[in-house]
Amino acid sequence: DAGITQSPRHKVTETGTPVTLRCHQTENHRYMYWYRQDPGHGLRLIHYSYGVKDTDKGEVSDGYSVSRSKTEDFLLTLESATSSQTSVYFCAISESQEKGKLFFGSGTQLSVL
Amino acid sequence: SQKIEQNSEALNIQEGKTATLTCNYTNYSPAYLQWYRQDPGRGPVFLLLIRENEKEKRKERLKVTFDTTLKQSLFHITASQPADSATYLCAAGGTGRRALTFGSGTRLQVQP
């Protein structure tokens, strides 16, 4: 998967607990993204980053925060997980926005009970 | 708001036939469209990109078209094989610092 590692691959947690998902890349790509994928909705953008410490919101950012302190790492945090955040989370990277091609990680299956 | 629509019903075809998948967009003028393949339990994999000034793009058995008048892209797989069975996602991108917007995908099942 193009040098992208997501961790954990699976997580079960309880409502109200904080959760952090990690995306690590070895490609030195500038852009990193967090998407969630749900049946009937496809991939929806949560947050993205266009450089270290530079991030922006996507269409479904409520309840999520991100941080990027190093080029290779992009963290997604659910401050207080809710059942509506049960989903498959994908991290993606790209070299540039103009060329646009995304490389995706293998995903994290998150279940909030 | 921007919308990328793909047929949510699965497409079932016989091996050897041409599969054609549709992607329509509304409230949007994308600079380019992309197509991805996704297998169960895996992340999407990039297949093709077509820019707004290109009518058609080919790669091996794959062909994609971009019709800015109809606001539509068609994705064709010729001489389809059971190994082509997967979900295919359409995504639209613009200029500047904007991330891709994805459709919900169409599942293709190629019967032997």
Side-chain angles (χ1 to χ4, degrees):
Chain A
D1 287 321
I4 308 168
T5 305
Q6 289 187 234
S7 58
R9 288 296 314 276
H10 303 272
K11 185 167 182 69
V12 180
T13 191
E14 293 185 349
T15 301
T17 59
V19 176
T20 295
L21 308 183
R22 181 180 183 239
C23 179
H24 177 79
Q25 61 145 329
T26 58
E27 306 296 321
N28 201 36
H29 283 357
R30 179 181 174 189
Y31 295 87
M32 298 186 76
Y33 309 83
W34 278 107
Y35 285 89
R36 60 178 288 176
Q37 188 171 40
D38 305 285
H41 288 281
L43 283 162
R44 291 182 292 173
L45 182 68
I46 305 171
H47 282 280
Y48 66 101
S49 170
Y50 42 92
V52 174
K53 292 188 169 43
D54 289 324
T55 64
D56 207 348
K57 295 179 180 179
E59 61 179 300
V60 290
S61 60
D62 286 349
Y64 302 95
S65 62
V66 289
S67 67
R68 190 165 178 204
S69 58
K70 297 186 289 185
T71 299
E72 57 265 36
D73 290 322
F74 193 32
L75 303 180
L76 176 71
T77 297
L78 292 65
E79 300 291 346
S80 177
T82 67
S83 58
S84 65
Q85 293 176 312
T86 292
S87 186
V88 181
Y89 291 85
F90 286 102
C91 174
I93 64 174
S94 71
E95 202 171 2
S96 77
Q97 291 244 280
E98 293 300 321
K99 287 178 185 159
K101 178 165 66 172
L102 296 185
F103 298 96
F104 283 84
S106 299
T108 294
Q109 172 68 63
L110 176 67
S111 297
V112 183
L113 306 178
Chain B
S1 60
Q2 301 166 7
K3 239 180 174 182
I4 310 296
E5 292 177 313
Q6 296 182 255
N7 193 343
S8 58
E9 288 183 23
L11 177 64
N12 291 291
I13 64 168
Q14 285 296 122
E15 182 175 6
K17 301 290 187 186
T18 296
T20 299
L21 286 69
T22 305
C23 173
N24 296 295
Y25 57 91
T26 54
N27 300 325
Y28 199 9
S29 294
Y32 55 86
L33 293 169
Q34 298 183 15
W35 285 86
Y36 290 77
R37 170 186 171 135
Q38 186 174 24
D39 292 289
R42 307 291 299 272
V45 174
F46 173 82
L47 295 174
L48 280 169
L49 178 153
I50 184 167
R51 300 189 186 280
E52 61 180 337
N53 60 351
E54 297 173 318
K55 290 268 192 266
E56 182 180 298
K57 206 80 169 281
R58 289 175 187 263
K59 180 184 174 183
E60 297 171 354
R61 293 185 295 112
L62 309 180
K63 184 179 86 171
V64 63
T65 63
F66 192 169
D67 189 326
T68 54
T69 302
L70 293 178
K71 294 184 181 292
Q72 181 180 83
S73 174
L74 297 179
F75 177 79
H76 306 273
I77 305 175
T78 58
S80 58
Q81 304 164 2
D84 295 326
S85 298
T87 296
Y88 291 86
L89 305 172
C90 171
T95 56
R97 197 177 287 157
R98 294 173 67 181
L100 287 177
T101 300
F102 281 83
S104 55
T106 299
R107 190 163 63 87
L108 172 67
Q109 189 71 38
V110 181
Q111 308 290 346

